[in-house]
Amino acid sequence: NSLMPRIIKVAAAQLGPIALAETRSSAVKRMINLMQNAKAQDAELVVFPELALTTFFPRWYFEEQSQIDKFFETEMPNKQIQPLFDEARKLKIGFNFGFAELVEEDGVTRHFNTAVIVNDRGEIAAKYRKIHLPGHIENETWRAFQHLEKRYFEKGNLGFQVHKLFSGKIGMCICNDRRWPETFRVMGLQGVELVVLGYNTPKHYPPAPEHDHLQEFHNHLSLQAAAYQNGTWIVAVAKAGKEEDCELIGGTCIIAPTGEIVAECKTLADELILAECDLERCKEIQENIFNFDLHRQPEDYSLITEAKKESPPNH
């Protein structure tokens, strides 16, 4: 072990359900409560879920674009969210959260599922846009609820970046990204030491309901494997509980670079957990069993990065 630990105290701030009618201001109040609680326990960084400001709206099929766009933020921070940024600046605490981003780029209106890291001065220091969008595009009426992320968002265009923040190397991903080993490997190759992410994961998966009882298991399985295989801390935060008749899993957790869960939420409500993450511990893995310079054989992995082949019809 390194003689000089490099500790960042991180809080994972799980949110219980956000109702369709709940205002952003109400969600922000809940987030501020958790943030104050985190600061009272000396946290330097607090991590909130994916789409933390609204209900998980891709579960509904909307005909009108205006109905969809009302769930999106056209600037960040904006008037309703400003109090969260102000509080963070006052408390001198950093935070990460997800939201739906509507932006004009090169004259084109774009919709992204986005997350940002805000530094302890209340400034956006890093941004990520979700790359692995799950779900479907058309209204599939046989489902108990829809999962229309592929309809409402486009694939993120910022890649998997790693940022020097909070005296470490920090990366972000969102929800379904966590299931894909490539997400963490791309950050792992940049020496990532802490990955922060939020998720909204239904307990029921309509295309394969026989896996419903495995949802919590698959959540932790993906995260623990990724932490171990890349020697990184991972903080994964749920929006949990029964949201508009849709059961979302909890399981918010903080995972060490050894793959061990060091803290885990026990409820499906607003709940805070903390861990002292010693970033020096990443070396235990990164300089040993998963020393990429020494042991990786990328010339044998070319299939992974080859372009997708067209699926045959009715695939």
Side-chain angles (χ1 to χ4, degrees):
N1 272 4
S2 162
L3 295 176
M4 282 298 296
R6 203 159 27 103
I7 289 172
I8 170 171
K9 195 164 187 184
V10 185
Q14 178 172 287
L15 290 173
I18 297 180
L20 182 58
E22 186 168 344
T23 62
R24 285 169 174 75
S25 301
S26 162
V28 164
K29 275 202 185 87
R30 290 164 59 182
M31 291 165 79
I32 287 173
N33 251 342
L34 288 158
M35 183 182 274
Q36 290 168 336
N37 184 351
K39 183 64 185 186
Q41 298 179 65
D42 298 323
E44 295 166 69
L45 174 64
V46 55
V47 182
F48 293 103
E50 170 192 35
L51 298 175
L53 304 172
T54 66
T55 199
F56 187 74
F57 62 89
R59 73 170 66 96
W60 291 285
Y61 178 80
F62 297 104
E63 295 278 343
E64 299 293 319
Q65 189 61 42
S66 61
Q67 291 177 291
I68 300 159
D69 285 352
K70 69 170 190 280
F71 294 102
F72 284 75
E73 315 305 322
T74 52
E75 52 183 341
M76 185 55 64
N78 54 41
K79 205 168 108 200
Q80 283 128 313
I81 322 303
Q82 190 63 49
L84 185 65
F85 282 71
D86 292 344
E87 188 65 21
R89 187 162 52 240
K90 191 176 98 191
L91 296 173
K92 296 191 172 57
I93 192 171
F95 65 103
N96 162 251
F97 75 111
F99 61 95
E101 179 190 23
L102 199 167
V103 65
E104 193 161 300
E105 284 183 355
D106 305 321
V108 182
T109 301
R110 323 286 301 265
H111 294 77
F112 295 109
N113 187 338
T114 296
V116 290
I117 295 173
V118 181
N119 66 23
D120 58 8
R121 297 185 298 283
E123 304 155 346
I124 292 177
K127 179 184 279 191
Y128 169 75
R129 290 166 171 165
K130 186 173 180 177
I131 287 170
H132 296 101
L133 295 171
H136 52 103
I137 293 173
E138 298 308 326
N139 189 14
E140 297 186 358
T141 50
W142 58 269
R143 292 171 178 256
F145 50 86
Q146 305 292 311
H147 200 131
L148 290 159
E149 283 191 64
K150 283 196 186 299
R151 185 181 187 88
Y152 297 154
F153 298 107
E154 60 186 290
K155 181 174 90 76
N157 59 359
L158 301 175
F160 294 110
Q161 300 178 41
V162 169
H163 310 272
K164 286 195 169 147
L165 291 167
F166 302 97
S167 73
K169 294 178 185 164
I170 302 187
M172 285 178 274
C173 63
I174 298 174
C175 196
N176 186 41
D177 286 322
R178 77 196 188 279
R179 301 183 189 275
W180 298 82
E182 295 83 1
T183 297
F184 296 95
R185 182 50 42 101
V186 171
M187 290 190 271
L189 287 168
Q190 299 171 72
V192 76
E193 297 169 321
L194 173 67
V195 178
V196 294
L197 69 107
Y199 57 94
N200 283 252
T201 298
K203 212 169 169 58
H204 172 53
Y205 181 61
E210 62 273 22
H211 293 171
D212 287 2
H213 71 290
L214 297 170
Q215 290 295 357
E216 287 89 345
F217 167 65
H218 285 158
N219 176 39
H220 286 162
L221 176 71
S222 305
L223 294 165
Q224 289 178 265
Y228 169 57
Q229 290 166 348
N230 295 284
T232 185
W233 290 88
I234 297 179
V235 180
V237 185
K239 167 106 74 60
K242 193 165 187 184
E243 188 177 89
E244 299 293 350
D245 285 335
C246 177
E247 302 263 0
L248 299 171
I249 68 167
T252 291
C253 58
I254 300 173
I255 302 173
T258 49
E260 296 163 286
I261 294 176
V262 296
E264 186 182 342
C265 281
K266 296 303 176 199
T267 73
L268 296 174
D270 292 13
E271 185 184 347
L272 193 78
I273 52 170
L274 293 97
E276 292 192 350
C277 302
D278 179 3
L279 302 183
E280 284 297 309
R281 290 199 58 206
C282 296
K283 290 178 181 162
E284 293 171 22
I285 302 293
Q286 292 179 3
E287 292 180 357
N288 291 296
I289 196 156
F290 290 118
N291 180 324
F292 292 163
D293 289 340
L294 212 53
H295 305 309
R296 259 178 93 249
Q297 303 298 339
E299 63 278 9
D300 292 304
Y301 312 151
S302 56
L303 265 178
I304 291 175
T305 53
E306 276 177 21
K308 287 194 282 194
K309 295 184 174 52
E310 286 298 307
S311 300
N314 304 322
H315 178 59

